[in-house]
Amino acid sequence: MAERPDAPTAPDLVVESDGGRQVMNPGRVYHVGRDPESELVLDDARVSWHHAVLLARAGHWMVEDEGSTNGTYTDGRRVQESGVGPGSVIRFGNPADGPCAVLSQVPPRPPRIDRPSAVSHPAGTHTFRAPSSVRPIPAARTTRIGRGPDNDLIVDDLSVSRRHAELRAGPEGFEIVDLGSHNGTYLNGQPVADRAPMIPGDIVGIGHSAFALVGDELQEFVDNGEVSLDVQGLAVRVLDGRKAQKTLLDGVSFPVGEKSLLAVVGPSGAGKSTLLNALTGLRPADDGTVLYDGRDLYRDYAELRQRIGLVPQDDILHQQLTVRRALGYAAQLRFPEDTAKAERQARVDEVIHELGLDQRADQPIHSLSGGQRKRVSVALELLTKPSLLFLDEPTSGLDPGMDRSVMHMLRGLADDGRTVIVVTHSVLSLDVCDRLLVMAPGGSIAYYGPPEEALPYFGFTQWPEAFEAFENDTARPWASDFRASPEHRRYIAMDSRQPPRAPEPPKGPVEAHKAQSWSGQLNTLVRRYAAALSSDRTFLIIMVALPFVMGAMAHALAGSSLTPESALNGLLILCVGAVLTGAANAVRELVKERTIYQRERAVGLSRSAYLMSKVLVLGVVTVVQAVVLTMVGLGGVKLNAPGGKGVLLPPLIEITLAVALLAFTAMMLGLFVSALVRKEEVTMPLLVLLAIIQVVFCGALLKLNGVPGLEQLAWLVPSRWALGAMAGTIDLHRLVPGGITADPLFQHKPAVWLLNMGMLIVLSLVLGFLVTRLLRRHEPEIMRK
């Protein structure tokens, strides 16, 4: 529906056609025709594709024919343009029996119904100003809601499941029942686990639609992107290193209108990132309220999070993949599992075209320019058609030309029907924004209003002068000066659409509904991760070369036979090779994807499915490498096991199993380190340290048995148990008599060998548990309160 430039005063009307009813708002143009995109779709061969329009002009409703083949008729006569109103009957295609539209006045509603319970001030919103459609509910029957054509109420939204929910009428009233939908059904912002009673004034959220029960009618309100944001008194406080309270945000209030582009600037430490986290719900403010088109964002976060897009400063896509392939995997994770591949691909192609990436769709992301990569990150967020789009430093590191290109892209996104908020250090393209928010040190507002009025307000001609003043004039009361200014009255006090409202924080952590089942997510994640690794040539070269190099070294030390001189060193090199192979595969994998994980977790990614995808893909790679390492290292080597037999299996198979399990455990240790560290740069030094620890505490260089402290510490070292298993296979103490090889873990006994192998499994499981706990630290705070 198109937004009209004027503000007509014609009344709301109800139009009845093809058995349906729809409320027409005078601020919009309503197209009539066979085109499925029309507001009034008439499936009749006599009706043209684009037949007519209904619109309000100068306080009156009009019908205008759009050059239809068979004409538009009022009162039996064909018209090109005619005034209409309550009681008018309009026919399309034939004056006698053509499809008709009957207009009537919107009936008055009780005050309770005028104000849905989850919206504080509907008149100040776009979504809840008037329903987009009104549907009668037959008594004593079930109304099924979903995306599929066989539903009673069809919601054309890819975030909605084909059979999503049912509204059931019974002797005790109505209840809403979730049908196992993938993105959830919400009653007044809270998820419906199975079913919940519904009373007049309640709001049921399904995808981008909200449904309110009004008598025997169901009113639908569609969030089409044109939403406002009212920020009221946000305050964030933390404890510093000395346990003293520090204020990061201090009473921040401002309104953001529909289809607006807001830029947030300010010196370092002014609270821009803290504000972004508070507005997106990632870290809710300690005090204050964020109203998303009249709804409390924190209270209804479980539902509204699906309508918020966030583009962090770092890229949120696997750069080895092509643009189309990366967006395709993202669509699989975000859309319901019953979405057809063609539907997903159509949406991917749509956002690629919208962002001007058609010529780059099949190009690897890492080969794109900085501005193009940022467009791809924006495209990912646009897949689910968010109404609010937040961007953190999207122009960081870009040249002035790319900077302006990105800002103009954001201007276009806002004009298309979104509210866009961008945190930036750049002041080169502020002129394309509708509003500018300047943060002062201490987390308060120094200015809010049109960008062109900002510098005159501060009394400067250049932005560097203003930022220097923030640093040098620390005694100036920036916030109180602005609160007393005409700009504050004009652009904040008088422009706010919502009255002040007491905050209603959620009760406990918010868990995201998952668009796919756990197994579905795992399948998508495994395929995406395998595709990303296979596209990384550097990883492939190292993955192939490392086991051969380490195996060749082990073979050189072992010679043609394991002897008293070569046996211990040969087994030690196998341990070192397995540890380096497994840990090197995994030590960077979580920290380098942290931004991706944080964003996907916020929109429904399963933590365990994510970790399991890493374990499965890297585990297969690591085990194959371990087998190659062992075969190259011991192939053709006489192992000299007692009687040519291992403890339970042939000697080479037992050693291969021990090396493979050690490599897998080292891989889990690498994932633990990757989840623990904050920066990718520290992983390589830690990898070297891990290798040294494995060598020192494996039992090949130091006597560990019976040494208090050292023996217990060695229990935590995987190579200690792996070397014990390999030594037991060949009965190392028999080949190399001595104090070190007399270790009880080196005995050629089934119980000892199984203990060694079992401890490697236990260590892997413990490390996996620890990784899941560490991953939780990097999730949105509202999900782990």
Side-chain angles (χ1 to χ4, degrees), residues 2 136 203 386 617 730:
I203 290 181
V617 175
I730 64 172

Side-chain angles (χ1 to χ4, degrees), residues 689-774:
L689 178 61
L690 284 177
I692 293 174
I693 291 174
Q694 302 301 317
V695 171
V696 171
F697 288 96
C698 69
L701 303 180
L702 295 176
K703 184 179 185 302
L704 300 174
N705 181 52
V707 181
L710 283 182
E711 181 178 17
Q712 289 71 33
L713 185 61
W715 292 346
L716 303 176
V717 178
S719 61
R720 166 74 166 141
W721 305 101
L723 182 64
M726 290 188 284
T729 294
I730 64 172
D731 196 0
L732 185 63
H733 184 60
R734 176 183 57 85
L735 286 176
V736 188
I740 290 181
T741 59
D743 195 313
L745 294 181
F746 291 179
Q747 296 179 36
H748 186 76
K749 295 180 179 179
V752 175
W753 189 83
L754 291 173
L755 171 65
N756 287 320
M757 299 294 283
M759 283 303 299
L760 288 172
I761 296 174
V762 169
L763 287 175
S764 295
L765 294 175
V766 170
L767 289 168
F769 172 77
L770 294 176
V771 172
T772 60
R773 304 306 296 173
L774 291 172

Side-chain angles (χ1 to χ4, degrees), residues 71 195 267 274 388:
R195 63 187 64 212
T274 304
L388 279 177

Side-chain angles (χ1 to χ4, degrees), residues 170-174:
E172 298 182 0
F174 292 92

Side-chain angles (χ1 to χ4, degrees), residues 627-678:
V627 172
V628 172
L629 166 65
T630 309
M631 292 304 170
V632 172
L634 298 182
V637 176
K638 186 177 180 181
L639 300 181
N640 286 326
K645 298 180 180 179
V647 177
L648 297 172
L649 301 168
L652 185 57
I653 293 179
E654 284 190 0
I655 293 177
T656 302
L657 288 175
V659 173
L661 196 48
L662 172 60
F664 184 88
T665 309
M667 179 207 73
M668 296 300 298
L669 184 59
L671 289 176
F672 171 76
V673 172
S674 191
L676 183 67
V677 300
R678 296 186 179 273

Side-chain angles (χ1 to χ4, degrees), residues 321-329 345 348-349 352 358 360-363:
L321 301 177
T322 65
V323 173
R324 192 186 306 278
R325 200 172 187 185
L327 293 177
Y329 284 124
Q345 194 57 54
V348 168
D349 292 339
I352 285 176
D358 302 82
R360 311 289 183 184
D362 298 313
Q363 189 172 331

Side-chain angles (χ1 to χ4, degrees), residues 193-529:
D194 178 34
R195 63 187 64 212
M198 187 177 175
I199 62 175
D202 283 347
I203 290 181
V204 171
I206 294 177
H208 287 76
S209 295
F211 300 91
L213 183 62
V214 183
D216 60 350
E217 294 180 335
L218 195 64
Q219 296 186 354
E220 181 180 11
F221 303 86
V222 179
D223 180 351
N224 60 5
E226 300 177 22
V227 300
S228 61
L229 194 71
D230 279 85
V231 180
Q232 302 180 349
L234 295 190
V236 174
R237 294 174 291 272
V238 296
L239 295 178
D240 60 19
R242 294 173 295 180
K243 302 298 182 181
Q245 195 172 80
K246 180 180 180 181
T247 300
L248 302 182
L249 282 185
D250 188 9
V252 174
S253 301
F254 58 90
V256 187
E258 303 157 6
K259 301 169 65 173
S260 292
L261 174 57
L262 167 67
V264 181
V265 301
S268 298
K272 299 187 298 297
S273 296
T274 304
L275 176 62
L276 184 68
N277 289 335
L279 295 181
T280 56
L282 296 181
R283 197 291 187 190
D286 299 310
D287 296 317
T289 309
V290 180
L291 294 180
Y292 173 106
D293 217 28
R295 299 179 64 180
D296 190 318
L297 175 65
Y298 297 160
R299 187 196 67 184
D300 297 353
Y301 183 72
E303 175 187 353
L304 297 179
R305 69 194 306 168
Q306 302 178 42
R307 308 182 197 177
I308 297 175
L310 173 61
V311 181
Q313 183 173 348
D314 297 326
D315 293 325
I316 50 177
L317 289 163
H318 291 83
Q319 299 198 8
Q320 300 88 351
L321 301 177
T322 65
V323 173
R324 192 186 306 278
R325 200 172 187 185
L327 293 177
Y329 284 124
Q332 290 184 50
L333 289 173
R334 298 196 179 196
F335 291 144
E337 206 163 2
D338 59 14
T339 306
K341 182 178 180 181
E343 292 179 294
R344 292 196 306 266
Q345 194 57 54
R347 181 58 188 154
V348 168
D349 292 339
E350 187 178 345
V351 297
I352 285 176
H353 179 72
E354 184 176 3
L355 273 299
L357 294 165
D358 302 82
Q359 303 301 317
R360 311 289 183 184
D362 298 313
Q363 189 172 331
I365 296 174
H366 67 78
S367 66
L368 302 177
S369 67
Q372 291 166 345
R373 287 200 303 273
K374 191 59 63 177
R375 286 175 180 265
V376 178
S377 294
V378 173
L380 183 149
E381 292 301 309
L382 294 187
L383 285 171
T384 53
K385 297 184 178 181
S387 301
L388 279 177
L389 182 62
F390 294 88
L391 301 98
D392 188 9
E393 300 286 355
T395 62
S396 178
L398 302 183
D399 61 58
M402 283 291 184
D403 180 302
R404 190 153 187 84
S405 174
V406 169
M407 291 301 291
H408 275 278
M409 172 193 69
L410 300 181
R411 174 72 266 169
L413 293 176
D415 291 339
D416 286 342
R418 302 177 186 88
T419 300
V420 181
I421 298 177
V422 53
V423 173
T424 179
H425 277 103
S426 174
V427 294
L428 298 177
S429 303
L430 297 180
D431 57 302
V432 305
C433 301
D434 298 294
R435 289 289 185 265
L436 174 64
L437 172 63
V438 181
M439 300 291 292
S444 57
I445 296 180
Y447 171 80
Y448 181 83
E452 62 272 15
E453 298 181 20
L455 284 174
Y457 167 79
F458 289 119
F460 299 111
T461 58
Q462 300 291 330
W463 277 107
E465 298 174 329
F467 283 104
E468 286 179 359
F470 285 130
E471 295 185 6
N472 299 330
D473 195 359
T474 56
R476 179 175 173 179
W478 299 98
S480 58
D481 286 353
F482 178 67
R483 283 194 295 269
S485 69
E487 286 80 5
H488 182 276
R489 290 192 295 274
R490 185 180 307 125
Y491 301 122
I492 293 184
M494 298 178 62
D495 205 27
S496 295
R497 303 188 180 192
Q498 295 287 328
R501 183 171 176 179
E504 301 177 51
K507 302 176 181 178
V510 174
E511 184 63 32
H513 271 268
K514 301 169 179 61
Q516 286 187 315
S517 63
W518 188 90
S519 59
Q521 282 198 8
L522 179 62
N523 179 272
T524 301
L525 291 167
V526 165
R527 289 186 291 110
R528 182 180 69 175
Y529 189 41

